[in-house]
Amino acid sequence: MKALLNIFWLGLKEIRSLTSDLVMVAFVIYAFSFAIYVQATGTSSEVNNASIAFVDEDGSALSKELFNAFYPPRFKLPENISADQVQGTMDKGQYMFVVVIPPRFERDLRAGRNPAIQVNIDATAMQQAGIGTGYIKNIINDRVSSFLARTEASPSKPINLVVRKLFNPNGVSSWFKSVVAIINQITLLTVVLTGAAVIREREHGTLEHLLVMPLSAFEIAMAKVWANSIVILVATGASLFLVVRMALKVPFAGSVLLWFLGVVLYLFFATALGIFLGTVSRSMAQFALLITLVILVLMLLSGGSTPVESQPKWLQYLTYLLPARHFVSFSQVIIYRGGGLSAVWSQFLMVSAIGLGFFMYSLALFRKSIAAAK
């Protein structure tokens, strides 16, 4: 009971110390509000206002119909240019796409000669170019098919392909990016707050005050764990409801309580990582450098930025040892797919096991550091 009281009062001291640091408080508020909103809406994987031009060498009714098929918001209103302007305008970056309709296009199409349409693409913006090419192909095919349906030539399709998008029917990128942003901020802020608390006590001399008191290394470490975890949980809850659900209108398909249970398990690992980095760092500057190296690796390999399946096989096996991967995995299952405990228990178990093991190692290192300070 005495140990629990010590952990409780030391945790309150950590919270008071954090709230007195106005810069850190402002950073936490910014990270879980404006930063998440900007990351979710500032960049988009969809094609928006892509510049497009047409070289219409046919001048037929069909070519004009294709010209009028492109309009905002996916594309800017198309422009007509001549064939000798294609190279120069694309070199200057005026158009991302240039569609060239050859002479006698409509006549050859009616005669069943399968004419070709050339699409020139500026692939310097690779993602937008790839997605936009698919849009252009679908738009042209649909318009040509509907045009031919009004004539005697009515091509029959062997199959009717029906596409159904699950969990994100409209393909809104902010639905995915906002949740990934929260996951990244949880990892970053938890490690920063916990590690900075360790270094701040060492630099301010308050660690020596704790050493002369009848306190164990476990009590000091656990106080930092629960205090910083509470701060992150409160910030996460506010961000989830105010920014993600209210401002960005992102639906939450699964159980909020189940997801927060997973967050608590992950925070156990993240706080242990913060204690570890704060213990091995000699100064706040060194701690910042280590944060950059460690957090970037966790974010890149977690599956939030790029799918784990796209990574090399040997790297995929290594990511099983990273709780961040399992955190992203069960977050996607709960938030997007509405999965329950039966769907995520294995990820919960992995996060708990890795977090406990790393906490024990960090605690042993922290205990050695305290013993050396004495």
Side-chain angles (χ1 to χ4, degrees), residues 24-180:
M24 189 64 75
V25 171
F27 178 58
V28 172
I29 295 174
Y30 165 79
F32 281 96
S33 57
F34 187 71
I36 291 176
Y37 187 86
V38 169
Q39 184 173 339
T41 60
T43 59
S44 175
S45 59
E46 294 97 19
V47 176
N48 287 299
N49 292 321
S51 55
I52 185 171
F54 273 75
V55 178
D56 187 0
E57 297 182 328
D58 187 29
S60 62
L62 177 57
S63 64
K64 291 181 173 60
E65 187 171 334
L66 294 179
F67 180 88
N68 294 323
F70 294 86
Y71 44 82
R74 296 302 183 195
F75 297 90
K76 294 180 180 179
L77 292 176
E79 298 181 12
N80 268 314
I81 62 175
S82 60
D84 58 354
Q85 292 178 298
V86 173
Q87 188 66 43
T89 54
M90 295 199 73
D91 287 344
K92 297 176 182 178
Q94 294 182 14
Y95 304 109
M96 181 176 291
F97 305 100
V98 175
V99 180
V100 180
I101 301 177
R104 299 182 298 278
F105 171 72
E106 181 180 335
R107 187 171 62 182
D108 290 345
L109 188 65
R110 289 177 183 274
R113 297 192 183 97
N114 296 324
I117 292 180
Q118 183 184 79
V119 181
N120 299 281
I121 305 167
D122 181 1
T124 51
M126 187 176 63
Q127 186 177 24
Q128 298 288 316
I131 299 174
T133 303
Y135 287 168
I136 293 174
K137 181 179 178 180
N138 291 333
I139 291 172
I140 291 178
N141 285 336
D142 289 344
R143 289 305 175 102
V144 169
S145 297
S146 62
F147 182 83
L148 290 177
R150 300 194 294 265
T151 66
E152 295 180 356
S154 180
S156 60
K157 297 180 180 179
I159 61 171
N160 182 24
L161 182 63
V162 178
V163 178
R164 182 187 177 197
K165 294 183 179 179
L166 298 178
F167 317 119
N168 191 355
N170 296 323
V172 182
S173 60
S174 62
W175 285 21
F176 176 76
K177 291 184 178 180
S178 58
V179 175
V180 172

Side-chain angles (χ1 to χ4, degrees), residues 191 199 273 276-296:
V191 175
I199 297 176
L273 179 59
F276 169 76
L277 295 179
T279 302
V280 300
S281 301
R282 298 292 179 236
S283 64
M284 195 67 77
Q286 192 177 65
F287 175 69
L289 292 175
L290 290 175
I291 284 289
T292 303
L293 294 174
V294 174
I295 298 301
L296 279 179

